[in-house]
Amino acid sequence: MTELPPELGAAGLRLLRGEDAPELHALVEANREYLARWLPWAAEQVLPGTERFIAETEKQRARDDGFQACIAPDGPIVGVAGFHAIDWGNRRTSIGYWLSEDHQGRGLMTTAVRALVDHAFGEWDLHRLEIHCAPANRRSRAIPERLGFREEATLRETELVGDRYLDSVVYGLLADEWEKNTQYPIAT
């Protein structure tokens, strides 16, 4: 995959490219304090780490194992959203995302994640999607809740962020639930 399908582009998503590293890293720098509250990589991220991340996303696409996309509805990158490794045998994956603090509250992430859900269930014919969020990260949790995911469990101390372990709230959504969802029906 060298380009995303048009419906993902319409949601403000585009594939990350090597030349995006300086811009993406600058966004991390500008949001480091905020991101480091929730993401284990954010506090120590340096430009070579951002370059490695983008190179890994290119390998991920080549393996047909999902993709990471930047959120750039108006040109500049304002966040990242994408799929973690895909379990093709069980037809499931999880979605991860982050958005710059100054672009939150505008519906950008809900639009992006909705498009990813449509893609996973429509194009890839997956059966199950998950989103994991820290319990105290209300903005992150609002996305799956808004899109009809079910809160299924809270896993204790799953991720080391800084010097503390964070729990993880697991949200799940099945393909047939998405098909029945009247608020966010699958795009045609």
Side-chain angles (χ1 to χ4, degrees):
M1 170 190 306
T2 57
E3 294 295 325
L4 290 177
E7 62 274 12
L8 293 175
L13 297 168
R14 72 167 172 76
L15 292 174
L16 282 165
R17 303 178 300 251
E19 59 266 22
D20 292 325
E23 181 182 357
L24 183 59
H25 184 68
L27 186 65
V28 171
E29 285 285 335
N31 288 270
R32 186 177 302 282
E33 184 177 333
Y34 173 74
L35 295 174
R37 294 174 53 202
W38 311 114
L39 300 169
W41 53 264
E44 304 296 326
Q45 185 72 333
V46 294
L47 180 57
T50 303
E51 292 167 340
R52 282 190 300 278
F53 168 73
I54 292 173
E56 285 302 315
T57 70
E58 292 168 345
K59 292 176 187 174
Q60 179 188 23
R61 286 194 313 269
R63 291 189 310 267
D64 192 25
D65 197 21
F67 60 83
Q68 304 299 315
C70 60
I71 301 168
D74 299 317
I77 298 171
V78 298
V80 174
F83 300 99
H84 301 121
I86 298 175
D87 177 348
W88 289 107
N90 290 303
R91 296 177 34 227
R92 65 184 178 99
T93 191
S94 60
I95 296 173
Y97 47 82
W98 64 268
L99 190 65
S100 67
E101 193 170 18
D102 63 333
H103 281 82
Q104 295 180 10
R106 302 178 190 182
L108 296 174
M109 190 58 75
T110 300
T111 298
V113 173
R114 178 188 189 280
L116 293 174
V117 171
D118 278 344
H119 186 79
F121 289 143
E123 294 298 315
W124 290 341
D125 193 32
L126 295 183
H127 174 70
R128 177 182 170 81
L129 296 176
E130 290 182 3
I131 294 176
H132 296 225
C133 305
N137 191 341
R138 290 302 316 155
R139 287 196 178 263
S140 184
R141 292 182 66 182
I143 304 304
E145 291 170 0
R146 198 174 291 128
L147 292 175
F149 282 68
R150 291 186 189 180
E151 182 178 331
E152 297 180 340
T154 298
L155 305 177
R156 297 178 311 137
E157 298 186 1
T158 59
E159 192 165 45
L160 182 61
V161 178
D163 61 354
R164 72 200 198 290
Y165 280 95
L166 297 181
D167 293 347
S168 181
V169 178
V170 179
Y171 291 92
L173 182 66
L174 304 178
D176 64 342
E177 294 169 338
W178 187 247
E179 290 172 9
K180 294 174 189 171
N181 187 328
T182 57
Q183 184 179 4
Y184 290 100
I186 295 175
T188 54

